[in-house]
Amino acid sequence: MAVWDDLVGQERVQAQLAAAARDADALVTAVDAGQPAPAASKMTHAWLFTGPPGSGRATAARAFAAALQCTSPDRALGGEPGCGFCDGCHTTMVGTHADVEIVRTDLLSIGVKETRDLVRRAQLSPAVGRWQVIVLEDADRLTEGAGNVLLKAVEEPAPRTVWLLCAPSLEDVLPTIRSRCRHLTLRTPSVAAVADVLVRRDGIEPEAAAAAAQATQGHIDRARRLATDERARDRRAAVLRLPMRVDDVGGCLKAAQELVDAAAEDAKQVAEEVDAKETEELRAALGAAAGTGGRMPRGTAGVMKELEDRQKRRKTRTQRDTLDLALTDITGFYRDVLALQLGSGVALANAAQRQDLDRIARASTPERTLRRIEAVLACREALDRNVAPLLAVEAMTMALRAG
């Protein structure tokens, strides 16, 4: 299985990356043999992958990293880098390659300290692989200070270092950084392509795969979660009932409160699973394991406080991500309403809610539906600006009622 097999519906991007991997392989082979580097090359030291959620930005970056580290003997016979079976490919794809650093954050932002650590890592020569590769999956979460720290490393990288940055759009990355990267744009894969990969890779029944792919409109990870997690399906069904509950002010406020509470409960569950383990491991490392009755050693209070702050920020992001997912589903609901009102022949993402869709479509106009979609988008923007979640969602539900 080649490393590119998980790239769904991205044939153009795959071809560009494969060509760059071939040139990178030729470059390393020539330099290691003491020969001059090829004059023309599609390989460069910094790449920026952009595309909508679910398009596979991080998947493309990891596949490219694996192809750069490929050690398959077939390359000498004209084979393509990225076989998927050699040690370089396998360890990169599972995240254990010594020269591939995959950075993803569960916090709201990536700060200066973490970025400086990455820059120091990028200055090292490869230990066992052919390249030193840094995959930054959340480049859009770099603070301004962190972006400025990263700029110098991207501008003047070490000879065998490659930066692979991922972000939703070009505007989410500092202009000074994106101008120094080769840009690749991924698109949302088709519903049919997503359903096919769910059947082929995950063994999901074709009917369930098609329903999940249609419901998520081509978002691979969400489709897989919907097809395999009953709790995720129940949560989505509850969210899609919200448009039917905003007929009066009391219903608006209650629906908003329940949506925010559900997001907070999700964040709490994640925290319970992870925080206690992290805290206990740190206490053990500092010499105060559970059951010993010992007090924390002096000078460790700051370390514990730093962990608590990190856990608090992670909980905040989890809550916001859950809310954003719910708002995306609500946007899709009103998109279906608009399609019915305009007589469009496009497939409905929420065919299971057809009765509710018909009811709202008959009771309103396309203009009101567009205003409701704008209200949902405004709520998402408000959450991005750190507006209190309950206030933002209450304002949205009241706007949905008014139409």
Side-chain angles (χ1 to χ4, degrees):
M1 181 181 72
V3 297
W4 313 110
D5 287 356
D6 281 337
L7 270 179
V8 181
Q10 310 294 343
E11 290 77 12
R12 180 182 57 82
V13 169
Q14 178 182 330
Q16 290 177 280
L17 294 176
R22 288 194 299 271
D23 286 355
D25 180 61
L27 174 63
V28 173
T29 301
V31 171
D32 288 349
Q35 301 172 356
S41 176
K42 296 182 176 65
M43 181 58 187
T44 189
H45 65 277
W47 298 75
L48 176 59
F49 298 80
T50 65
S55 58
R57 301 184 301 261
T59 300
R62 287 195 300 270
F64 186 39
L68 293 177
Q69 303 291 13
C70 183
T71 57
S72 169
D74 292 340
R75 294 176 297 110
L77 303 174
E80 295 280 337
C83 65
F85 297 102
C86 71
D87 185 66
C89 288
H90 176 71
T91 54
T92 299
M93 296 304 286
V94 300
T96 59
H97 196 291
D99 295 316
V100 178
E101 182 76 7
I102 298 177
V103 183
R104 61 177 69 88
T105 184
D106 50 13
L107 304 180
L108 294 172
S109 62
I110 300 174
V112 171
K113 180 178 180 297
E114 300 95 318
T115 308
R116 283 179 176 155
D117 291 340
L118 282 180
V119 170
R120 282 193 288 269
R121 165 74 182 261
Q123 300 306 311
L124 301 175
S125 297
V128 297
R130 299 164 68 80
W131 298 87
Q132 180 77 247
V133 184
I134 312 293
V135 180
L136 186 54
E137 293 189 359
D138 300 292
D140 54 308
R141 295 188 182 271
L142 289 166
T143 64
E144 185 175 355
N148 291 329
V149 170
L150 180 64
L151 174 61
K152 189 69 173 177
V154 172
E155 192 173 30
E156 299 177 4
R160 289 281 187 93
T161 295
V162 181
W163 288 91
L164 307 180
L165 312 181
C166 305
S169 69
L170 285 174
E171 289 70 27
D172 291 310
V173 181
L174 287 176
T176 48
I177 291 179
R178 67 181 186 236
S179 65
R180 289 162 174 80
C181 298
R182 183 168 298 170
H183 180 214
L184 292 176
T185 302
L186 285 78
R187 59 188 179 89
T188 300
S190 68
V191 170
V194 173
D196 175 70
V197 80
L198 291 179
V199 173
R200 182 164 41 89
R201 287 298 173 77
D202 301 288
I204 297 169
E205 291 296 324
E207 186 176 345
Q214 186 66 46
T216 58
Q217 291 295 288
H219 193 300
I220 301 171
D221 291 336
R222 286 185 57 204
R224 182 178 289 113
R225 191 178 305 116
L226 270 184
T228 58
D229 186 349
E230 184 177 357
R231 195 178 73 168
R233 293 194 292 272
D234 292 342
R235 183 164 55 238
R236 184 174 185 274
V239 167
L240 292 177
R241 287 194 290 270
L242 183 143
M244 311 301 298
R245 302 174 56 200
V246 293
D247 293 334
D248 54 67
V249 173
C252 291
L253 299 181
K254 184 177 180 181
Q257 184 69 64
E258 289 178 359
L259 190 61
V260 173
D261 288 347
E265 183 61 29
D266 278 353
K268 181 181 177 182
Q269 288 179 358
V270 172
E272 289 176 349
E273 294 171 1
V274 179
D275 290 1
K277 181 180 178 181
E278 283 183 344
T279 301
E280 207 52 54
E281 287 177 349
L282 182 58
R283 287 177 60 85
L286 297 174
T292 63
R295 300 175 62 184
M296 292 293 296
R298 288 185 178 183
T300 60
V303 179
M304 294 300 297
K305 181 65 166 58
E306 183 178 346
L307 176 62
E308 291 171 2
D309 290 344
R310 176 183 173 85
Q311 291 172 342
K312 183 177 180 180
R313 294 196 301 273
R314 179 171 60 205
K315 185 176 180 180
T316 300
R317 177 179 172 181
T318 302
Q319 180 177 2
R320 290 185 182 176
D321 285 350
T322 303
L323 272 177
D324 190 69
L325 180 59
L327 296 177
T328 300
D329 287 333
I330 294 171
T331 304
F333 181 94
Y334 283 113
R335 170 259 191 196
D336 286 349
V337 171
L338 186 63
L340 292 175
Q341 290 172 329
L342 297 178
S344 171
V346 300
L348 299 179
N350 302 286
Q353 285 75 32
R354 181 60 187 261
Q355 187 175 355
D356 293 340
L357 294 172
D358 285 336
R359 174 184 162 187
I360 293 182
R362 289 193 300 268
S364 64
T365 63
E367 291 77 15
R368 294 183 67 187
T369 301
L370 285 172
R371 286 196 293 269
R372 285 166 171 158
I373 292 175
E374 289 172 354
V376 181
L377 298 179
C379 181
R380 296 180 69 182
E381 292 174 0
L383 293 173
D384 284 340
R385 296 194 304 269
N386 294 324
V387 174
L390 184 58
L391 291 178
V393 178
E394 284 180 344
M396 178 195 74
T397 55
M398 293 298 289
L400 294 180
R401 174 177 178 267

